[in-house]
Amino acid sequence: MTRTPKLLATSDLHVTYQENRDFVAAIEAPSPDDWLIVAGDVGEKFHDIEWALDLLRKRFAKVIWSPGNHELWTTKDDAVQTRGEVRYKQIVEMCRSIDVVTPEDPYPVFEGSAAPLVVAPLFTLYDYTFRPEGTHDQVSALAKAHEAGVVCTDEYFLFPDPFPSREAWCESRIVETERRLSEVDPALKTVLINHYPLVREPTRVLRYPEFALWCGTERTADWHLRFNCAEMVYGHLHIPRTTRHDGIRFDEVSLGYPREWKPRGLTGARLVDVLREGDPR
């Protein structure tokens, strides 16, 4: 009996941590025909990102990557000191050199389900519109976050160059991504992959609600409906779980930091079968 290929997903591997790095080194494809989605935050340093994605590509038939915020950081101890869009483009070119699919490449079609699925890695960033209660604009929202002592490290390491701000870069990414998604054959279902959830609801369970400011944009709230989505895959929140929005399954597939996964008793990286329980359509 022929085995149907699987579409697997993970994110937030954070290979800077040796225990996470060991987990990634041990990942094997259940079958050589399986695909792997990596929904961002592989690591902060350019060569760590390359090491992990190259290793995974050698073990899976196809690897699809969406950038997280950590890949875009420029830290003082990284040998690659480029910033902003230039850094992102360098990572894209590195991925292409090792045959890893990025948001800048044609969306591949996965044939292992009941019907073909367009697997679409996205890169949207955030624009501070997931605001805390009692705030009415970006200024008041950020002020409340600073007052609460909840400020994402992006504010210090994620540079938007050449854009004047991260929200301006987000705007540019939304326009380009909407254009790309609008060109997909509307008869085909999609698997949408983004480091951030496309809707705000998953952030409602954050221990520190102010952190939602750095978790997405209201501009993508209807994309799972507009673009014929069968499944949405994301990470970033480090709260691995499955929810449904408008009847569509959203999977948060992160590994997270050792202090987070150790209490859950994990003994290896978590790979989520996107098409488990049959086709999510």
Side-chain angles (χ1 to χ4, degrees), residues 13-18 20-22 24-25 38 41-56 65 70-71 75 77-80 87 91 94-95 98:
L13 297 173
H14 294 290
V15 298
T16 301
Y17 294 87
Q18 187 60 49
N20 286 32
R21 195 179 187 91
D22 292 343
V24 172
V38 183
D41 277 11
V42 175
E44 297 80 33
K45 295 181 182 179
F46 190 95
H47 294 298
D48 282 347
I49 301 164
E50 182 176 24
W51 169 81
L53 292 176
D54 184 48
L55 180 148
L56 294 171
W65 168 78
H70 282 238
E71 283 102 335
T75 60
D77 58 350
D78 191 348
V80 178
R87 180 177 179 85
I91 298 174
M94 176 271 289
C95 285
I98 59 175

Side-chain angles (χ1 to χ4, degrees), residues 88-106:
Y88 170 62
K89 289 182 177 180
Q90 283 184 317
I91 298 174
V92 166
E93 289 308 310
M94 176 271 289
C95 285
R96 287 172 170 169
S97 75
I98 59 175
D99 193 31
V100 168
V101 179
T102 79
E104 307 309 306
D105 298 314

